[in-house]
């Protein structure tokens, strides 16, 4: 043991001498590290990847390895990795669904940015969704609510006027009049791709405003109720009559491509699409886009869509300090300004910082800015449903089981959309499978 101590002491002394020679006690440069970043293939993340060389320049010795995936696959990969502690990723792009659940499991690193980051600049509703017991476990890259996009030129040609607060019945009437399949123009585009964060994000918010909800008190599933039947019948009939072909293959990115190339008269989806649709570099209809509120159903407002894509550091990362540095950089005011400088203000990440919305250049470039800021500030994911409920969340349910339940139900709803089963059959199957899962996991007795 004494020999080992002697050797250790000599080694330590050698390092101290080397440090002095290198510059009066300067730290020895740490070994190069490679951060593996898992992210989604959305437009804003593609821009982040493009601009990340600026981070590497400012942090010599830190290299970035990108794993960019389609939304459903990303969710599967990062969930498996973090649940097993595999440590494949150093930075994960996750939603405000995962953050509180994973933080309670101690799977995420608590983040403590310095004063320059300006935490108080984050929009309060966004920050609160990433905070557990007063601690921050992810940083928001962009945030979104939901809105209706429409083609002003097509509405004018058809003699239609979009109201400030449309109903779903009105949307269907407009869609019938605007559909021109011979010219590949479809009255309404909506998410149809199965997934708890794809078709079910839209479908859940639709069901809420029809007076539906996932669970009643006691965790009893409520998927075969008249409210759900009304919502899903509207959805299936509207897309079959006025939607594009192959709607069950269309998620956010596919509908964005359809609308931006002139094939959709209306699209109800994330507010983040505004920055893409109004950008003439990315949209062929940038000068023809109008926007208004998300439609209401018979119940009214209900819980309103609020989603954030965030960057988090898993506790299993072997490069936590460097990963924190990257997460801080990519969600900072400086990064927002970098995007504005390189891509124009219309492309700046939306929904996270008050300072972005206070910027006159952003307001000028993004005519939707004030609308989106208000939608995010007023989003009510905890608002009441038609009947009392035991959960929170608007377009998702914040329980660990929802990822599997939402995916299963999403596949069944897609089967109804493609005509493989009726709406009643799809909802009966969804009710049965959800009831079974809730019993197996002890929520329902």
């Amino acid at each position: 043991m004494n020999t080992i101590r002697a050797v250790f002491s000599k080694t330590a002394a050698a390092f101290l001498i080397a440090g002095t020679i290198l510059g009066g006690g300067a730290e020895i440069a740490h070994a190069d590290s490679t951060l593996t970043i898992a992210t989604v293939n959305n437009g804003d993340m593609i821009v982040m990847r493009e601009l990340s060389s600026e981070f590497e320049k400012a942090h010599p010795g830190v290299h970035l390895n990108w794993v960019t995936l389609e939304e459903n696959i990303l969710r599967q990969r990062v969930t498996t990795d973090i649940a097993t502690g595999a440590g494949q990723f150093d930075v994960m792009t996750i939603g405000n669904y995962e953050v509180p659940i994973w933080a309670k499991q101690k799977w995420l690193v608590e983040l403590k940015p310095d004063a320059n980051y300006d935490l108080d600049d984050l929009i309060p509703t966004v920050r609160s969704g990433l905070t557990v017991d007063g601690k921050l476990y992810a940083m928001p890259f962009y945030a979104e609510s939901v809105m209706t996009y429409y083609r002003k030129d097509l509405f004018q040609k058809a003699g239609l006027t979009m109201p400030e607060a449309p109903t779903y019945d009105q949307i269907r009437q407009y869609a019938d009049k605007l559909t021109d399949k011979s010219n590949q123009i479809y009255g309404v585009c909506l998410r149809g791709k199965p997934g708890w964060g794809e078709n079910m994000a839209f479908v859940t918010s639709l069901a809420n405003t029809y007076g539906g909800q996932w669970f009643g008190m006691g965790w009893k599933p409520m998927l075969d109720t008249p409210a759900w039947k009304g919502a899903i019948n509207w959805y299936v009939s509207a897309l079959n009559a006025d939607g594009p072909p192959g709607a069950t293959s269309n998620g956010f990115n596919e509908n964005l491509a359809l609308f931006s190339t002139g094939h959709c008269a209306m699209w109800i989806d994330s507010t983040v699409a505004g920055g893409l649709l109004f950008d003439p570099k990315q949209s062929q209809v940038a000068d023809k886009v109008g926007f208004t509120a998300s439609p209401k159903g018979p119940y009214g407002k209900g819980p309103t869509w609020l989603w954030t894509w965030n960057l988090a550091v898993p506790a299993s990362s072997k490069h936590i300090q460097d990963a924190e540095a990257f997460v801080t950089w990519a969600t900072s005011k400086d990064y927002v300004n970098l995007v504005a400088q390189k891509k124009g203000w219309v492309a700046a990440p939306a929904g996270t910082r008050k300072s972005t919305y206070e910027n006159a250049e952003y307001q000028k470039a993004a005519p939707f800015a004030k609308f989106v800021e208000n939608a995010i500030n007023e989003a009510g994911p905890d608002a009441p449903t038609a009947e009392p409920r035991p959960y929170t969340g608007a377009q998702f349910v914040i329980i660990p089981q929802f990822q599997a339940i939402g995916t299963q139900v999403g596949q069944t709803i897609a089967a109804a959309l493609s005509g493989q089963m009726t709406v009643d059959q799809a909802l009966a199957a969804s009710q049965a499978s959800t009831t079974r899962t809730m019993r197996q996991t002890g929520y329902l007795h």
Side-chain angles (χ1 to χ4, degrees):
M1 183 64 72
N2 290 335
T3 305
I4 293 172
R5 282 184 184 142
V7 171
F8 178 80
S9 298
K10 286 180 184 177
T11 307
F15 272 111
L16 287 170
I17 293 166
T20 306
I21 293 169
L22 286 169
E27 287 185 21
I28 298 170
H30 69 279
D32 284 10
S33 66
T34 298
L35 300 180
T36 299
I37 301 168
T39 194
V40 65
N41 64 341
N42 289 354
D44 289 275
M45 282 69 172
I46 301 299
V47 171
M48 175 174 61
R49 182 174 178 171
E50 284 179 25
L51 299 180
S52 63
S53 58
E54 298 292 329
F55 174 83
E56 289 178 298
K57 284 179 196 170
H59 297 80
V62 181
H63 310 290
L64 305 179
N65 174 41
W66 292 85
V67 179
T68 307
L69 302 164
E70 185 269 331
E71 192 167 317
N72 287 336
I73 297 169
L74 172 81
R75 290 190 167 112
Q76 292 167 6
R77 289 276 300 275
V78 299
T79 301
T80 300
D81 185 78
I82 203 158
T84 60
Q88 182 182 356
F89 303 114
D90 300 293
V91 175
M92 291 178 167
T93 305
I94 60 175
N96 49 323
Y97 163 74
E98 290 95 348
V99 173
I101 296 172
W102 292 4
K104 286 173 184 173
Q105 295 286 342
K106 304 192 184 307
W107 290 347
L108 299 176
V109 173
E110 181 192 351
L111 301 175
K112 300 176 182 178
D114 63 23
N116 289 333
Y117 186 79
D118 194 0
L119 273 173
D120 291 336
D121 187 44
L122 298 179
I123 291 174
T125 51
V126 172
R127 181 177 173 181
S128 67
L130 310 178
T131 304
V132 178
D133 298 331
K135 298 175 181 178
L136 188 72
Y137 286 95
M139 292 179 178
F141 186 69
Y142 74 69
E144 62 189 45
S145 188
V146 61
M147 63 199 286
T148 303
Y149 303 97
Y150 66 96
R151 285 276 298 279
K152 293 185 294 186
D153 56 329
L154 298 179
F155 265 70
Q156 186 174 8
K157 185 179 175 183
L160 300 172
T161 302
M162 176 68 86
E164 287 185 15
T167 66
Y168 272 104
D169 284 344
Q170 288 174 314
I171 293 294
R172 179 60 196 275
Q173 293 165 18
Y174 302 153
D176 286 345
K177 292 178 180 176
L178 294 166
T179 297
D180 181 4
K181 291 185 179 178
S182 62
N183 287 308
Q184 295 185 320
I185 294 175
Y186 304 99
V188 64
C189 292
L190 302 167
R191 297 188 189 192
K193 180 187 289 186
W196 71 265
E198 280 283 14
N199 65 343
M200 294 314 296
F202 173 77
V203 165
T204 301
S205 59
L206 173 68
N208 289 342
T209 194
Y210 265 75
Q213 60 202 75
W214 277 90
F215 302 100
M217 299 309 289
W219 293 100
K220 182 182 184 298
M222 298 181 67
L223 298 169
D224 57 356
T225 58
W228 271 86
K229 289 176 183 177
I232 305 307
N233 274 312
W234 183 93
Y235 171 76
V236 169
S237 63
L239 276 177
N240 281 333
D242 299 311
T248 55
S249 298
N250 295 340
F252 173 81
N253 280 335
E254 292 79 11
N255 282 313
L256 173 65
L258 283 165
F259 195 102
S260 64
T261 53
H263 296 292
C264 301
M266 294 180 289
W267 179 30
I268 304 156
D269 211 300
S270 159
T271 53
V272 78
L276 306 167
L277 294 178
F278 280 85
D279 183 355
K281 297 172 188 169
Q282 302 184 67
S283 171
Q284 296 174 22
V285 295
D287 60 339
K288 301 178 178 69
V289 183
F291 57 90
T292 191
S294 175
K296 289 186 172 63
Y299 174 67
K301 189 170 186 283
T304 306
W305 180 317
L306 178 65
W307 179 257
T308 58
W309 275 122
N310 315 284
L311 300 179
V313 180
S316 54
S317 169
K318 296 175 181 64
H319 307 291
I320 286 175
Q321 190 174 352
D322 290 335
E324 285 185 90
F326 177 81
V327 165
T328 302
W329 172 82
T331 60
S332 65
K333 291 181 188 177
D334 287 343
Y335 177 80
V336 173
N337 290 326
L338 177 65
V339 175
Q341 176 192 334
K342 300 287 186 180
K343 303 288 183 179
W345 270 104
V346 73
T352 62
R353 289 190 169 272
K354 290 180 277 189
S355 56
T356 303
Y357 291 93
E358 292 163 0
N359 187 293
E361 291 180 79
Y362 182 68
Q363 292 171 13
K364 183 179 177 182
F368 50 85
K370 195 65 185 173
F371 180 95
V372 172
E373 183 184 19
N374 289 339
I376 290 170
N377 276 322
E378 296 168 10
D382 299 334
T385 43
E387 295 183 35
R389 60 177 178 153
Y391 64 91
T392 56
Q395 78 280 24
F396 54 83
V397 178
I398 303 185
I399 57 172
Q401 291 74 13
F402 183 71
Q403 190 160 346
I405 289 170
T407 298
Q408 173 68 44
V409 175
Q411 290 166 347
T412 310
I413 298 296
L417 180 56
S418 63
Q420 296 172 33
M421 57 175 70
T422 66
V423 168
D424 283 2
Q425 288 170 336
L427 290 174
S430 297
Q431 177 76 6
S433 66
T434 304
T435 300
R436 187 165 55 250
T437 300
M438 297 305 278
R439 280 201 177 118
Q440 289 170 346
T441 54
Y443 278 80
L444 191 64
H445 301 287

